[in-house]
Amino acid sequence: MTQHASPPRDGTGKTAPVAELPAWRGMMARADVRTLSLLGVLAALIVIGGITKPDEFLDTRNLQLVLTQASVIGVVTVGMTFVITSGGIDLSVGAIVALSSVWATTVATQEYGFGGVLFTAVLVGVGCGLVNGLLIAYGGMVPFIATLAMLASARGLALQITDGKTQIVTIPSILDLGERDAYVLGIPPLVMVFAVVTVIGWLLLNRTTFGRRTVAVGGNAEAARLAGIDVRRQRLYLYLLSGLCCGIAAFLLIILSGSGQNTNGNLYELDAIAAAIIGGTLLSGGRGTITGSVLGVLIFTTITNIFALNNLQSDVQQIAKGAIIVAAVLVQRRTASTT
């Protein structure tokens, strides 16, 4: 006769509880693996850049340039991470950056100086985010359609404002922030702004009820509603946050380029979504990581820099980015199917 092992019992004769690994520990372990993997990829890219173009890639000025360029798209990606975590998408971020940058650099706006340009860029970004949020949260529109409409409208309005011309910034206090004399301990001001936005975003997502509500809405919107969360209002706030990040990024881009152009922010939506996805933010919602998104931004920016230094065509860069996105989504699906 086959004998079955009896469950362990404690001193009172009752069955002792079987120890299980808490779910949050498994999630943390997976997050650590993802972070280490991304750091490994970034380190490998640095090695490749150092081997192919050692004198140029490892030059301090080039590394500062990489971080500066990463700062603009990085701020946009922080906002995008929140939106994707909630189960949404924002295809209009690049167009909002363009509209914010040209509206903030008109002759009339520049008459109000540094504060006027900054205020206008942020206000336009938040305004566009408000329209997106109202259409999606209260208008019942699918995020893809609503933000696609905003993309077309914002691009068209930016072109109308500029008439296809570059608007030059003439405010010294803005232009000076892009000079090396403004660096603090070798760190460009744009990088410091990116660092502050990243820290605030991390705290907001991981240490506040706002972050927990965002994850809950992305995981199961109906369950979140039954738990007392105002899902529509939360979604509105998230698109406002995305618009705010676009406005800040637009101002950083104005500092970096010293101008406003209707072509600014081109394909930022692709880069932001890609960086968030390869960083570990779940495309279907319910899981997001600011740390992973930032590493994703650094990876893409480093790839672009290496391609540029090696005189590789931009179309090859886009093909490489597309392949990385597909690979990241496949890895996510495989991970989800095994958990």
Side-chain angles (χ1 to χ4, degrees):
M1 182 181 296
T2 304
Q3 293 184 349
H4 298 280
S6 59
R9 299 179 181 275
D10 57 19
T12 61
K14 297 180 180 180
T15 302
V18 178
E20 295 183 355
L21 181 66
W24 65 268
R25 288 189 179 180
M27 293 177 62
M28 289 296 293
R30 290 193 295 273
D32 289 341
V33 171
R34 283 195 301 270
T35 301
L36 290 175
S37 299
L38 291 171
L39 287 173
V41 171
L42 184 58
L45 288 173
I46 292 174
V47 171
I48 293 173
I51 292 175
T52 57
K53 292 289 183 178
D55 295 333
E56 299 170 7
F57 179 79
L58 297 178
D59 183 72
T60 302
R61 289 177 180 269
N62 184 63
L63 296 178
Q64 289 172 335
L65 175 62
V66 170
L67 292 176
T68 301
Q69 293 175 336
S71 298
V72 181
I73 185 61
V75 172
V76 175
T77 304
V78 170
M80 181 69 79
T81 300
F82 278 89
V83 171
I84 296 178
T85 301
S86 71
I89 198 73
D90 191 348
L91 301 178
S92 63
V93 291
I96 294 175
V97 169
L99 179 59
S100 299
S101 69
V102 300
W103 206 323
T105 54
T106 60
V107 175
T109 303
Q110 291 193 53
E111 291 180 356
Y112 293 94
F114 185 101
V117 173
L118 174 59
F119 178 77
T120 302
V122 171
L123 183 63
V124 172
V126 172
C128 292
L130 176 63
V131 174
N132 280 337
L134 289 175
L135 290 175
I136 295 167
Y138 294 94
M141 291 187 68
V142 177
F144 181 90
I145 300 299
T147 58
L148 184 62
M150 175 59 72
L151 182 156
S153 301
R155 282 289 178 195
L157 184 54
L159 178 60
Q160 187 178 51
I161 291 174
T162 62
D163 194 25
K165 300 176 182 177
T166 299
Q167 298 178 163
I168 304 300
V169 176
T170 59
I171 302 172
S173 56
I174 292 179
L175 298 175
D176 290 344
L177 289 176
E179 300 296 330
R180 294 186 61 83
D181 292 340
Y183 291 9
V184 179
L185 300 177
I187 303 175
L190 276 68
V191 178
M192 291 187 285
V193 172
F194 176 36
V196 170
V197 172
T198 298
V199 171
I200 293 175
W202 187 90
L203 292 173
L204 195 61
L205 184 60
N206 296 283
R207 293 292 184 268
T208 66
T209 55
F210 181 86
R212 289 192 288 272
R213 288 172 181 169
T214 299
V215 174
V217 170
N220 190 322
E222 180 60 20
R225 186 187 66 81
L226 294 175
I229 297 175
D230 190 331
V231 175
R232 293 190 298 179
R233 185 172 61 186
Q234 184 69 17
R235 284 176 174 159
L236 173 61
Y237 288 162
L238 289 166
Y239 283 95
L240 282 172
L241 177 60
S242 180
L244 173 62
C245 289
C246 289
I248 295 172
F251 184 71
L252 297 182
L253 194 56
I254 291 171
I255 295 173
L256 184 62
S257 63
S259 64
Q261 304 176 55
N262 66 287
T263 56
N264 282 341
N266 187 36
L267 294 180
Y268 273 19
E269 55 277 356
L270 169 66
D271 291 342
I273 293 171
I277 292 174
I278 70 169
T281 298
L282 198 61
L283 189 59
S284 58
R287 186 183 72 206
T289 163
I290 298 296
T291 302
S293 294
V294 170
L295 290 174
V297 168
L298 292 175
I299 287 172
F300 275 120
T301 308
T302 304
I303 290 175
T304 301
N305 183 258
I306 293 173
F307 275 47
L309 291 177
N310 287 276
N311 297 318
L312 297 176
Q313 298 296 324
S314 60
D315 55 350
V316 180
Q317 298 180 33
Q318 300 305 326
I319 293 172
K321 290 180 180 180
I324 292 173
I325 295 172
V326 172
V329 173
L330 291 176
V331 169
Q332 281 191 358
R333 293 187 61 182
R334 182 178 179 84
T335 303
S337 64
T338 56
T339 55

